Amino acid sequence: MSPKPSELFHYTGPDLEDPGYTTYKHLRDDCELDCEYLEECWTKFKQLGLADPDFLARFPAECPERIWEMRLACILAGWGIDLVPSPRRGAGMDYGIRLKEGRTVWVEATAPRSGEGADQVWAPNDTLLFGAEIERTTGLRYLNSIAKKREQFERAIQAQLVAPNDGLIIAISGVQIPLTDHQTPEEAPLIVKALFGLGDSPFLVDLHSGRSRRGPPMPRPSFRKSRGSNVPSRLFLTPDAGEVTGVLFDPYGPKNRPETRGCVAGHDFIFVHNPHARVPLNIGQFGEGQEFFIRLDSIQQCARAEKAPT
């Protein structure tokens, strides 16, 4: 029996040199069920009217990024969120969230790679041999992606593709960076630490009882690059990034998406609210996942219980 025709996985020519093609080829040749899921996402994405004119042409070379852009839109729309396309398709932001008061929060999806050189995220055999080093290099990858998307948003403002008083959600997928699903128990996820200048939480031991507990996290105002410069990691503690409504993070890709583990779509999302955002979102506006926000000078976590099966 010949395979079903595929719009997304149509390319069968010579191997491409683009980094995203390795993911494309693996999915196309070895992951039939995942491809069927992604074709369903593509159908929904087209119905939403959000795809760039060259989305299919660029899909083989930019597979992880394009999957994340498409999959995120389908999940947000499934939560009843009103999505709108860029006023000039293929330019500006990926798509926007239209708020009831008429303003728009634009979404820009990105799936950073592990980097190069001495600051590359290196995890041989996906093991935490060098936990502190992995956290340093991964934090740098997150902050680099955020900086690039802020610059892109500013260019979109200058090109009048978004309004100066609009907001921006930077949506980061960790699918191309090893071990982004790792999280130290009882500590905030790394994306939260990277935005609020948080380091590790020390163990505190009571000398009389011998009991131990985790103390408050130590400050970490920056991540140090291998060449000696520091990249600030307190973006959400200052008003300097008021255009950023928040950062949405997902550690997983389509192969290990929550639905394959008996959870609902978006279960693994982490949304970090910017307390200085000029266009804030309400706490709990997203349908699933965790939210982190500042209240009464402390970082709070809003975690939703899993919905009971119907």
Side-chain angles (χ1 to χ4, degrees), residues 42 45-46 48-55 66 69 85 89-90 94:
W42 170 239
F45 197 49
K46 287 191 296 183
L48 292 169
L50 302 176
D52 294 345
D54 58 353
F55 186 94
R66 293 291 172 167
E69 174 190 344
R89 305 285 280 281
D94 289 331

Side-chain angles (χ1 to χ4, degrees), residues 12-302:
T12 56
D15 288 354
L16 304 177
E17 296 182 358
D18 305 85
Y21 180 72
T22 301
T23 300
Y24 176 89
K25 186 176 181 180
H26 172 64
L27 289 169
R28 182 195 65 193
D29 297 345
D30 301 316
C31 306
E32 182 178 353
L33 292 179
D34 295 316
C35 287
E36 290 179 2
Y37 161 75
L38 292 171
E39 289 289 350
E40 292 174 1
C41 287
W42 170 239
T43 298
K44 295 177 184 176
F45 197 49
K46 287 191 296 183
Q47 291 172 349
L48 292 169
L50 302 176
D52 294 345
D54 58 353
F55 186 94
L56 287 176
R58 296 173 64 176
F59 187 78
E62 303 172 359
C63 190
E65 295 90 342
R66 293 291 172 167
I67 286 176
W68 173 227
E69 174 190 344
M70 174 179 67
R71 179 169 158 260
L72 175 59
C74 293
I75 294 173
L76 294 178
W79 292 345
I81 293 175
D82 186 13
L83 299 178
V84 295
S86 170
R88 193 167 79 217
R89 305 285 280 281
M93 302 291 99
D94 289 331
Y95 39 80
I97 297 174
R98 185 176 336 191
L99 304 181
K100 291 182 179 179
E101 61 269 25
R103 301 175 75 179
T104 302
V105 174
W106 295 96
V107 177
E108 185 61 26
T110 182
R113 294 189 288 272
S114 58
E116 299 177 349
D119 290 326
Q120 179 180 0
V121 183
W122 185 68
N125 300 319
D126 283 345
T127 57
L128 280 167
L129 294 177
F130 309 100
E133 179 65 3
I134 289 175
E135 189 163 294
R136 179 188 75 85
T137 52
T138 304
L140 287 172
R141 301 308 302 152
Y142 293 165
L143 294 172
N144 180 66
S145 294
I146 291 168
K148 287 184 176 180
K149 292 307 178 184
R150 290 183 64 200
E151 292 172 358
Q152 183 177 343
F153 187 71
E154 180 59 31
R155 292 194 297 271
I157 292 177
Q158 298 301 322
Q160 298 182 341
L161 295 173
V162 303
N165 62 345
D166 284 347
L168 169 67
I169 289 176
I170 301 170
I172 301 175
S173 168
V175 67
Q176 298 196 90
I177 301 176
L179 297 173
T180 54
D181 59 335
H182 174 77
Q183 181 178 334
T184 303
E186 301 181 22
E187 287 199 2
L190 179 57
I191 188 64
V192 179
K193 294 180 178 181
L195 290 166
F196 288 112
L198 301 176
D200 294 331
S201 299
F203 276 105
L204 303 178
V205 180
D206 188 292
L207 296 179
H208 298 289
S209 66
R211 295 177 179 175
S212 63
R213 62 180 177 85
R214 281 198 178 272
M218 302 292 288
R220 178 170 50 194
S222 62
F223 287 89
R224 191 168 184 81
K225 299 184 74 171
S226 59
R227 295 186 177 181
S229 60
N230 291 319
V231 178
S233 62
R234 297 165 61 90
L235 189 67
F236 281 6
L237 293 182
T238 73
D240 296 340
E243 80 280 9
V244 181
T245 294
V247 172
L248 189 152
F249 177 76
D250 182 14
Y252 296 113
K255 288 183 64 61
N256 49 5
R257 60 193 185 276
E259 301 94 306
T260 64
R261 293 176 274 115
C263 300
V264 296
H267 174 81
D268 297 313
F269 284 4
I270 297 168
F271 187 72
V272 190
H273 292 263
N274 182 4
H276 299 282
R278 64 186 178 220
V279 189
L281 291 184
N282 295 328
I283 305 298
Q285 188 159 343
F286 288 156
E288 295 292 337
Q290 302 176 69
E291 297 183 54
F292 290 82
F293 55 95
I294 281 186
R295 179 171 292 170
L296 299 178
D297 298 324
S298 65
I299 293 180
Q300 303 289 328
Q301 176 183 0
C302 171

